Amino acid sequence: MLLFCEVSDPKELWEKHWTDLSDDIVYRQRQRLGIPNLSLTEEQIQNYTLYEIEQLLNREHRSLKDYHGIPLPDAALLQEVGNRMLLEEHNYDTESLAIDARDLEQGLNAEQRHVYDNILQAVYQSRGQLFFVYGSGGTGKTYIWRALISRLHSEEQIVLAVASSGIAALLLPSGRTTHSRFKIPLILSENSCCNIEQGFDLAELIRRTKLIIWDEAPMVHRHGFEALDQTFRDVMQLHDHSLKDKVFGGKVVVLGGDFRQILLVVPKGGRVEIVDASVRKSKTIWPECIFHTLRTNMQIKRSNLDQVDIERTEFSKWVLDMGNGHIPATTKEGEEEPTWIEIPKDLLINGADPIAALVEEVYPEILHSYMDPKYLQQRAILAPKNETVDNINGYILQMIPGEEITYKSANRIFPNNYRWEKCPLTVPY
């Protein structure tokens, strides 16, 4: 109509019929980006429709500029509509998240509320601060993360939640591993940098992010933090040159974890090498940290504790005492540093066959319950070495009747006629 007819009022034509013209925009964006439940705002739909009309006019050497009253597409919004990462971070039900945020805020204790308010204040004021939330298991670090994420997502703000391990990432809403999200190199050095290129989707996502939460931070080498810090400075200084001199490019970043738990792995390294590789030894990161400590264990705070809860309380206290160095340690012959402690007898499982005794303690009557998902979800045996895990898994698999099945996993899928090597993954149930 614009090209071949004399439209008396192009603006009125657009305002009356833009909904019909944009009828398939959301469907096409879902197909193009591969996000089945993608939702777009009215402004985004209008903008993309105007862009499509502009493309059609350009083929005939015309433009929307030639038609008085019809708005022009916003280039910034077009970039956002085409950025899958940005769309994923805006594709939330803000109403339900607002309800969740209010419920979570009401459950915060005084310690948690202090941390929560300080982080939110830094986000709202765009202060670009770095926090470290320190606390043992059960003190509610993940609860704070969920409250922050729900609050900011309900306000259509972007929050990137990451963790150093895959298991920890599963506990975070839309959580990812740090290496996956920020392209941190697996082999790190003092001059490492993340594989994030200027002008690409991930760089734009980082620029628009209001808060970054990094759980289980002590498990990563300090060079990983320094690489991400330098990358963020490079990304942000393109838009504001002064941000090159601010830690993490002026972003609000929250690190969380407990240095008494599992630290990073330094091949053939001792205590000195492990401590030196910790983020606390980073001269560029750690001095900028605002430190918060959580001490109240939410899991054992209830007054009506039963016998199991009392045992858990005593065990938690013993673990913390061990982590704080309050339990006497001894040395073995030929060793200089005391590193051996005595485990209380009530924590030991006795039996001629230790694996059989351990399985019986953790998985009682397993032959009658191994088909029950809840039974399996409520139990786990942790071990520091893969060899021990394999031995325990092998013992349990021999007990369970039926044929053992090995499933295959792969990083990518190839045609059937393509020869490729599969990696076996044995599932124990």
Side-chain angles (χ1 to χ4, degrees), residues 180-200:
S180 169
R181 169 60 79 186
F182 296 126
K183 313 299 181 185
I184 300 176
L186 295 178
I187 301 176
L188 293 164
S189 66
E190 291 186 2
N191 300 318
S192 293
C193 194
C194 303
N195 186 24
I196 300 175
E197 299 183 37
Q198 292 280 19
F200 282 70

Side-chain angles (χ1 to χ4, degrees), residues 359-378:
V359 171
E360 178 60 29
E361 180 73 22
V362 178
Y363 295 96
E365 300 182 353
I366 186 173
L367 294 179
H368 297 91
S369 307
Y370 71 91
M371 295 295 290
D372 182 3
K374 292 184 178 179
Y375 173 86
L376 298 172
Q377 290 171 1
Q378 295 171 354

Side-chain angles (χ1 to χ4, degrees), residues 35-52:
I35 306 177
N37 59 342
L38 174 68
S39 62
L40 298 176
T41 65
E42 183 176 294
E43 184 182 15
Q44 289 174 325
I45 295 173
Q46 286 187 6
N47 196 64
Y48 197 81
T49 306
L50 288 169
Y51 172 75
E52 293 290 335

Side-chain angles (χ1 to χ4, degrees), residues 218-220 258-266 274-275 278:
M219 294 178 64
V220 174
D258 183 0
F259 289 101
R260 293 166 298 195
Q261 296 181 10
I262 297 175
L263 297 176
L264 64 156
V265 176
V266 178
I274 293 174
V275 171
S278 169

Side-chain angles (χ1 to χ4, degrees), residues 199-218:
F200 282 70
D201 288 358
L202 182 54
E204 182 63 17
L205 175 66
I206 291 169
R207 188 179 74 83
R208 296 183 180 229
T209 296
K210 291 295 183 180
L211 174 65
I212 294 169
I213 297 173
W214 186 337
D215 200 15
E216 301 296 348

Side-chain angles (χ1 to χ4, degrees), residues 2-22:
L2 293 175
L3 286 171
F4 305 110
C5 301
E6 293 294 333
V7 179
S8 60
D9 192 341
K11 180 181 179 182
E12 184 182 5
L13 174 67
W14 164 254
E15 291 177 347
K16 283 188 175 181
H17 300 287
W18 77 264
T19 53
D20 296 322
L21 294 170
S22 62

